[in-house]
Amino acid sequence: MTDSNDAVWEVNRERDGGHQPFESNLPKLSGMGEVLAPVAGFGISLRNFFRPTVTEQYPREKVPTMPRYHGRHQLNRYADGLEKCIGCELCAWACPADAIYVEGADNPLDAAMSPGERYGRVYQINYLRCIFCGLCIEACPTRALTMTNEYELAGPTREGLIYEKQDLLAPMGENMLAAPHPMVPGVGDEAYYRGEVTEVDPAQVDWVREHRPEEPTLPENRKRHAEPVEADRG
Amino acid sequence: MTATADKAGSQAVETVNVTIDGKAISVAKDTLIIRAAEQVGIEIPRFCDHPLLKPAGACRQCLVDVASPGPDGNLRAFPKPQASCTMTVTEGMVVNTQNTSEEAERAQKGVMELLLINHPLDCPVCDKGGECPLQNQAMSHGNAESRFVDVKRVFEKPLALSSEILLDRERCVLCQRCTRFSDEIAGDSFIDLQNRGAMQQIGTFNEDVLGFDGYGPVGIAAEDESGGAFSSYFSGNTVQICPVGALTSSAYRFRARPFDLVSAAGISEHDSSGSAIRTDHRRGVILRRLADNDPTVNEEWITDKDRFAFAWQNMPDRLTRPLVRNDEGDLVEASWPQAIAAAAAGLREAVSGKKAKGVGVLPGGRITLEDAYAYGKFARVVLGTNDVDVRTRIASDEEQSFLGSSVASTGLGVTFADLERAPSVLLVGFEPEDEGGVVFLRMKKSSPKQQVFTVAPFLSRGAHKLGAQLVEAVPGYEGTVLAGLTKAADAVKALSEPGSVIVVGERVAGAPGAFTEALALADRTGARVVWIPRRAGERGAVEAGALPGLLPGGGDVAVAKARKAVASAWGVDDLPRTRGRDVTGILTAASARQLDALVVGGVQPTDLTADMIKALKAAKFVVSLEVRRTDATELADVVLPVAPPSEKSGTFVNWEGRLRGFATAIKTDAMSDHRVLDMLARELGVDLGTATVDAVNAELVTLGVLEDSARMAAPAVEAPAAKAAEKAASVAAGTKSLTLASWHQLIDEGSLQEGEPYLAGTGRIAVARMSPATAEAVGVKEGLVSVQGTHQSSIDLPVVITDMVDGVVWLPAKSPGSWVAATLGLAPGDSVSVKGGV
Ligand code: SF4
Ligand code: SF4
Ligand code: SF4
Ligand code: FES
């Protein structure tokens, strides 16, 4: 602070009707304290000098997030490969940032995408809008929508940051069979919701074999392709 | 405003004083408690109650505490809560709703819990989710927790009531709104409550409910040749009023959520009623249409055509850019300036070139008032012709005289309310259900109080539902029949009651003398005549003067005074003096190369008996203003894309003469016909002044209504002699030649119903109808008959022996397998030859 500044202070105080000279609120230091005050701040630096480093070497080194970190969303599947999403749009409704766009459609039960009558035909999340609050996954009635820990959501284009259904769908698990195919014979959609469907039914395999013999997730093609299938994260 | 208001005002309304939740109010006697509560702003939860349906007391959600003064004058409470939707208020009644009475609140919560016992609570997949009265009222008036842990009742789902209407019975709360609508309003009791107890459900045809003789449906159910269970023209309304998601439509099922949708108010383009609709769209795509509430016109109901037929606007063949025919003869995309320049060059050649023979203008019947005005002005000012006709159907000079003298610029005449209140109605060449839609519903409201007579070849299903009495007429001889109605005839006696109405339809144009006789009958009986065309734009076109002899304001082009008035308003010296050619005249002249060019709007060649394709091919130059590619655009030299109704604003004038303005629902860069014509006129060096809706309306206001001496004289055409009619009616067995009767069924293969297979599935099956004597004379009993006209091709349909006038065969005008105009080249009243056993 310079004198001229003090002068300004004084003028202002006088104009405002104040007549007392300026007094600081800080506790008054005395003796040594007053002498060392200008360098006291260096103490903090010195102390941290000897602490362990916390700087992460991102992106060279990736440190795992906390387990419940809100990262990119994922659309999960049932054990037989059917999609869990029923296209209800409740996630879109719940989203405070209007980041989700869903279009439902009639689910053909003889070649189903999900259990039940309705499935999500269009599913988009706009990561330019999403605030990762997680309200959408709370709203989802089928646990179709969950969040992964993936946080690398940056890109050079706007379009690229609008994730489509295929970008969000969980990868096929080890023994899953890609939709569309009929539901497990003899059970309704409630069985799926109750978690009673735990594996692919042979009838479903037969159906896919008949309709899409080249389907890579068929057991025979799986061996032939022998490509490493990513584990299900759902 | 209308007689309605006057009448209501003149009757002193008896009132009673009641107290609802401590608020004193005096309401009309016989008001239901639930309505009285609405008047003081108290909302009682309800499911079955609907203001336009009779009280049912089916759901019990509206229970309230009621006390009323006993004989001794002391207030006595009813021992149990009462249904407020069935009980009317009485003097001194004290009502306590859920707001002030714990008892009422407890009762309502109890009912809600019961309703939800078997409700699947599958809101996430249910289409009603987000706009569901059950969802909302369960939140506002229900318990937060359910005590019910057992397995719920399930039904197979969905049950297809028709190809369009689907029923999920497990969601149903048995309020019976759907069945009451079908029964009371539409008169199609195809669905009803069935079974008892927990298995009580809404269902389709059931032998206990409807007539059934062991083999098939009889009585009212038998009228439905489709064999479909719920083929009502109004079935979509049940989806809208179902208070839960039990009824859904195939067209909208699982497509969207209400919060996705942007709603826009509009007017239906499908008929001349001008029904108020709501268009719900998402990202520029229409997802559904709903009925809007307009008590003066369509109340809260619309036809299934109004509701479901909107896909045509966005079919893959939609035109988005102008097309111009290049030197190789191919239609190729062009820019607007190029296309306008090409169109202007061609028209200039046809108007002022050497040996120019002129241009004919066919705007089509579905345009707005503003478009019709632009076409009429364009023809007269730019092309210098009166060859402009909006009618793309059977038309006559007599009809034009009738329209000019009794319809144009007469303002609001007979209204929906008048029609509803009329003690008797005579229908001439008009089927209220098939050709009028909501006109039928309004008349049905007064049935059976209202006496209805129909001059027709047989009693159609719609006429039957109105309890109409048939006045048999061979098509073409309606005038003769009207002339033959003596003082002693039931119809004449009934029409003499004040307030009666004579309705004439567009088909009357095919019956010489019918308009004349209808007016004469009106004079004799004091009944009023109203013209109800089928297409949405026809009344507007009459007002705007898009007819060969008619100027805006009701002027007759043959009258100098009328021409002068309009010419001075338009800033030109004079208008073409003689009446122009009508639609058939224009097409015939073009085919004979007496016209050089045609300007064609929304006209389907298949709607016309005249050979339009030939005319388009013969004409040197054709400009087409269309929404989609059609047979006409394929033959045009310049195609200018115009906006469909949802993408433009404008005004339809409904048959009442009521202006039904509507705003743009979906904003695109598509332009209305009037704007395109304005651009075209500018290129031809004329400022048409029709660039905007406002500009056109301002001009129409300036023009105003012309005085009587500038108008057309009433028609005076003699109807064919009764002898001739008799002869036609007696079966000409030897020649097997019969008279053709035909009209459009509401749901058929009209071009505005394309792209909607679910709706098409609810249409009635096409059949040919003949009387027993006629069938015997031509030698058919059952199976297919083949009907042949002047063309080579024939229409083969299953025959249904009907109680009808002899010597006539009836065919639906444009139903699957029966495109009468296109296949036979004939109109009703023409003679056809019929062969059985094909
Ligand atoms: S995390 Fe929050 S902001 Fe992101 S999509 Fe879900 S609800 Fe919307
Ligand atoms: S992710 Fe869940 S909430 Fe969103 S549409 Fe699918 S099922 Fe509904
Ligand atoms: S289907 Fe809907 S309208 Fe019909 S009774 Fe059931 S809940 Fe009521
Ligand atoms: S609303 Fe009163 S009983 Fe249903």
Side-chain angles (χ1 to χ4, degrees):
Chain A
M1 243 185 236
T2 61
D3 288 349
S4 68
N5 260 346
D6 280 349
V8 172
W9 268 103
E10 282 308 320
V11 170
N12 281 349
R13 286 178 67 80
E14 254 169 53
R15 196 189 57 201
D16 293 348
H19 302 292
Q20 297 302 314
F22 174 73
E23 256 179 63
S24 166
N25 290 336
L26 293 174
K28 284 248 165 6
L29 296 169
S30 57
M32 243 355 232
E34 197 173 358
V35 174
L36 286 180
V39 293
F42 289 116
I44 295 169
S45 312
L46 267 172
R47 224 175 313 138
N48 280 298
F49 233 73
F50 300 102
R51 284 196 174 161
T53 17
V54 292
T55 309
E56 288 172 6
Q57 295 306 310
Y58 181 82
R60 262 164 280 146
E61 238 175 68
K62 283 189 199 166
V63 183
T65 62
M66 298 305 261
R68 293 190 177 189
Y69 176 83
H70 282 182
R72 174 175 76 70
H73 301 73
Q74 170 166 289
L75 285 170
N76 300 310
R77 298 174 195 270
Y78 290 106
D80 66 352
L82 288 184
E83 294 164 8
K84 286 189 173 177
C85 176
I86 50 172
C88 68
E89 306 192 20
L90 290 183
C91 48
W93 211 334
C95 178
D98 200 5
I100 307 186
Y101 179 77
V102 186
E103 274 181 28
D106 219 331
N107 189 31
L109 286 182
D110 52 347
M113 297 303 294
S114 74
E117 299 179 278
R118 179 179 181 133
Y119 83 106
R121 190 176 62 85
V122 175
Y123 197 102
Q124 299 174 339
I125 296 185
N126 182 345
Y127 283 106
L128 293 161
R129 300 199 71 134
C130 176
I131 55 168
F132 301 93
C133 61
L135 291 181
C136 48
I137 61 171
E138 253 180 71
C140 181
T142 59
R143 295 293 280 152
L145 193 66
T146 53
M147 283 169 131
T148 66
N149 291 345
E150 187 187 328
Y151 51 80
E152 292 185 305
L153 296 163
T157 61
R158 282 168 173 273
E159 291 91 335
L161 283 168
I162 298 174
Y163 278 46
E164 297 280 350
K165 189 170 158 189
Q166 68 270 16
D167 308 324
L168 295 165
L169 265 175
M172 297 300 297
E174 202 138 2
N175 294 314
M176 286 181 183
L177 188 60
H181 55 67
M183 295 200 286
V184 170
V187 306
D189 44 349
E190 308 83 22
Y192 281 84
Y193 305 145
R194 281 196 293 265
E196 287 163 9
V197 173
T198 51
E199 57 184 5
V200 180
D201 191 275
Q204 294 175 307
V205 176
D206 290 345
W207 190 93
V208 174
R209 208 170 267 146
E210 189 188 324
H211 289 85
R212 300 197 308 276
E214 295 304 313
E215 171 58 51
T217 53
L218 276 173
E220 57 268 30
N221 300 343
R222 224 175 243 282
K223 281 189 211 94
R224 182 142 44 86
H225 288 276
E227 36 173 37
V229 178
E230 235 184 292
D232 178 25
R233 286 181 292 180
Chain B
M1 176 188 68
T2 61
T4 331
D6 300 341
K7 242 187 206 157
S10 62
Q11 280 163 5
V13 189
E14 213 179 314
T15 58
V16 291
N17 299 303
V18 285
T19 312
I20 303 176
D21 284 353
K23 288 185 200 166
I25 173 186
S26 116
V27 294
K29 198 169 161 256
D30 291 337
T31 306
L32 294 170
I33 296 176
I34 200 167
R35 295 278 101 73
E38 280 167 5
Q39 290 183 26
V40 279
I42 295 164
E43 196 184 324
I44 300 170
R46 83 285 306 265
F47 293 111
C48 68
D49 169 73
H50 190 285
L52 297 179
L53 300 176
K54 289 193 195 119
C59 71
R60 318 310 288 176
Q61 187 57 54
C62 63
L63 296 177
V64 292
D65 252 353
V66 181
S68 62
D72 53 357
N74 290 336
L75 214 53
R76 280 208 302 214
F78 280 77
K80 287 182 182 154
Q82 298 294 310
S84 60
C85 73
T86 51
M87 185 174 264
T88 53
V89 289
T90 55
E91 184 61 40
M93 189 181 258
V94 175
V95 177
N96 288 312
T97 72
Q98 72 279 1
N99 297 334
T100 47
S101 155
E102 255 175 52
E103 180 65 14
E105 194 189 0
R106 205 179 53 79
Q108 289 177 6
K109 286 203 163 152
V111 170
M112 179 66 76
E113 194 173 11
L114 272 169
L115 285 177
L116 292 180
I117 279 184
N118 270 319
H119 192 83
L121 296 178
D122 58 346
C123 307
V125 290
C126 175
D127 278 316
K128 202 81 174 184
E131 52 180 7
C132 177
L134 180 59
Q135 229 178 15
N136 296 345
Q137 290 177 154
M139 298 292 280
S140 57
H141 300 287
N143 284 322
E145 301 279 327
S146 169
R147 292 178 290 171
F148 190 77
V149 291
D150 304 271
V151 177
K152 299 200 176 202
R153 173 200 60 190
V154 289
F155 286 108
E156 187 195 316
K157 63 184 280 181
L159 183 71
L161 297 181
S162 69
S163 56
E164 184 69 88
I165 310 295
L166 306 174
L167 170 65
D168 290 300
R169 284 166 290 177
E170 50 205 29
R171 291 186 193 137
C172 170
V173 294
L174 299 171
C175 71
Q176 298 171 50
R177 275 188 182 185
C178 54
T179 56
R180 283 184 292 147
F181 170 83
S182 305
D183 191 27
E184 293 169 21
I185 308 290
D188 300 314
S189 19
F190 292 133
I191 49 170
D192 215 331
L193 265 189
Q194 300 169 9
N195 291 338
R196 285 288 170 267
M199 290 312 285
Q200 192 169 42
Q201 56 186 280
I202 301 293
T204 55
F205 180 73
N206 179 315
E207 51 196 272
D208 299 332
V209 181
L210 297 170
F212 192 79
D213 69 356
Y215 295 99
V218 294
I220 214 168
E223 298 290 328
D224 180 24
E225 287 83 15
S226 72
F230 191 38
S231 297
S232 168
Y233 286 158
F234 308 97
S235 58
N237 293 300
T238 60
V239 176
Q240 193 172 341
I241 59 173
C242 178
V244 300
L247 287 166
T248 50
S249 66
S250 306
Y252 179 69
R253 196 171 161 91
F254 304 145
R255 296 294 192 286
R257 288 277 172 219
F259 67 88
D260 285 344
L261 303 173
V262 182
S263 297
I267 299 296
S268 172
E269 76 273 30
H270 286 298
D271 59 33
S272 65
S273 295
S275 298
I277 55 166
R278 196 181 102 196
T279 304
D280 283 358
H281 56 97
R282 171 180 69 190
R283 295 185 164 193
V285 179
I286 304 177
L287 267 294
R288 65 171 175 185
R289 302 213 302 199
L290 300 170
D292 238 348
N293 182 10
D294 190 334
T296 50
V297 177
N298 57 315
E299 302 191 311
E300 284 177 49
W301 319 123
I302 52 175
T303 64
D304 283 2
K305 188 154 82 165
D306 293 337
R307 185 180 303 270
F308 296 119
F310 52 78
W312 69 275
Q313 308 183 0
N314 291 305
M315 302 273 284
D317 57 6
R318 168 80 187 269
L319 291 160
T320 50
R321 303 195 54 200
L323 305 174
V324 175
R325 201 167 288 282
N326 63 13
D327 295 339
E328 282 85 59
D330 298 324
L331 270 184
V332 291
E333 285 197 353
S335 69
W336 272 100
Q338 280 170 333
I340 291 285
L347 292 179
R348 190 177 291 125
E349 183 65 28
V351 174
S352 52
K354 259 184 271 155
K355 287 198 252 160
K357 292 183 198 137
V359 187
V361 182
L362 295 174
R366 302 193 185 97
I367 45 177
T368 59
L369 172 70
E370 292 79 7
D371 293 337
Y373 180 79
Y375 275 110
K377 191 171 176 188
F378 186 80
R380 293 183 170 115
V381 176
V382 182
L383 305 176
T385 177
N386 278 321
D387 288 345
V388 51
D389 196 352
V390 79
R391 301 169 293 180
T392 51
R393 52 172 172 83
I394 193 163
S396 71
D397 271 352
E398 183 190 359
E399 182 191 26
Q400 180 166 239
S401 306
F402 168 79
L403 296 177
S405 64
S406 316
V407 176
S409 296
T410 52
L412 202 61
V414 176
T415 61
F416 271 105
D418 294 342
L419 196 59
E420 180 186 328
R421 270 200 313 265
S424 65
V425 177
L426 174 72
L427 308 168
V428 188
F430 177 70
E431 290 297 331
E433 198 184 24
D434 280 320
E435 296 172 305
V438 293
V439 175
F440 167 81
L441 295 186
R442 284 302 274 268
M443 291 180 65
K444 173 84 179 49
K445 268 176 91 182
S446 305
S447 182
K449 264 201 330 273
Q450 185 173 68
Q451 273 187 289
V452 180
F453 299 87
T454 175
V455 179
F458 68 95
L459 206 55
S460 69
R461 178 171 157 186
H464 175 85
K465 285 194 285 182
L466 293 175
Q469 237 169 291
L470 181 66
V471 181
E472 277 192 354
V474 174
Y477 294 94
E478 282 88 348
T480 317
V481 171
L482 289 180
L485 288 177
T486 58
K487 265 212 185 103
D490 287 347
V492 176
K493 275 191 235 154
L495 285 175
S496 303
E497 270 184 65
S500 296
V501 175
I502 300 172
V503 180
V504 287
E506 62 179 33
R507 281 180 288 123
V508 169
F515 283 110
T516 314
E517 291 300 335
L519 290 174
L521 183 62
D523 275 345
R524 269 187 280 158
T525 57
R528 288 200 283 168
V529 179
V530 62
W531 176 65
I532 307 189
R534 227 164 42 84
R535 294 202 173 95
E538 294 215 359
R539 176 69 196 257
V542 170
E543 303 298 330
L547 289 177
L550 206 56
L551 294 170
D556 181 352
V557 286
V559 177
K561 197 192 280 175
R563 277 201 311 276
K564 203 169 140 244
V566 177
S568 79
W570 285 350
V572 290
D573 296 335
D574 197 9
L575 299 174
R577 284 153 186 265
T578 48
R579 283 195 188 180
R581 302 175 173 98
D582 68 1
V583 52
T584 317
I586 291 172
L587 291 178
T588 323
S591 299
R593 299 183 196 274
Q594 286 156 3
L595 278 175
D596 277 342
L598 292 173
V599 175
V600 182
V603 183
Q604 291 291 327
T606 48
D607 285 346
L608 290 160
T609 49
D611 195 344
M612 179 163 175
I613 299 291
K614 187 171 160 210
L616 290 172
K617 282 185 182 152
K620 275 198 224 137
F621 191 74
V622 178
V623 182
S624 170
L625 285 78
E626 252 295 6
V627 176
R628 293 165 55 195
R629 275 177 178 263
T630 64
D631 295 346
T633 61
E634 292 316 293
L635 294 171
D637 297 282
V638 177
V639 181
L640 303 169
V642 290
S646 62
E647 293 173 28
K648 69 186 202 184
S649 58
T651 313
F652 284 128
V653 186
N654 77 352
W655 60 261
E656 302 170 283
R658 199 184 292 276
L659 298 178
R660 308 291 283 158
F662 60 94
T664 311
I666 303 177
K667 290 211 165 61
T668 63
D669 51 11
M671 287 181 276
S672 278
D673 301 45
H674 61 80
R675 172 104 192 268
V676 173
L677 289 172
D678 184 76
M679 285 164 40
L680 195 50
R682 192 159 307 220
E683 187 78 11
L684 287 161
V686 179
D687 181 7
L688 202 58
T690 62
T692 63
V693 169
D694 288 347
V696 175
N697 287 331
E699 270 194 35
L700 277 167
V701 169
T702 327
L703 273 165
V705 180
L706 298 185
E707 52 190 292
D708 277 353
S709 55
R711 296 174 65 106
M712 279 189 196
V717 175
E718 203 159 319
K723 265 256 180 64
E726 262 166 43
K727 191 161 146 241
S730 71
V731 187
T735 61
K736 302 199 170 173
S737 139
L738 304 177
T739 306
L740 174 69
S742 176
W743 59 75
H744 286 83
Q745 301 204 300
L746 184 84
I747 292 167
D748 62 4
E749 295 193 324
S751 55
L752 300 197
Q753 296 174 59
E754 277 170 30
E756 193 41 77
Y758 304 117
L759 175 67
T762 66
R764 290 175 193 158
I765 281 183
V767 294
R769 290 178 187 275
M770 273 186 256
S771 73
T774 315
E776 197 167 315
V778 293
V780 289
K781 280 200 196 70
E782 53 191 347
L784 289 180
V785 287
S786 172
V787 182
Q788 192 154 29
T790 44
H791 294 7
Q792 284 303 310
S793 42
S794 67
I795 290 178
D796 302 338
L797 289 180
V799 66
V800 169
I801 308 296
T802 310
D803 187 10
M804 66 190 279
V805 52
D806 290 333
V808 171
V809 57
W810 178 87
L811 301 173
K814 212 179 182 186
S815 294
S818 178
W819 286 31
V820 171
T823 315
L824 303 181
L826 296 177
D830 292 339
S831 76
V832 288
S833 63
V834 175
K835 251 194 351 256
V838 284

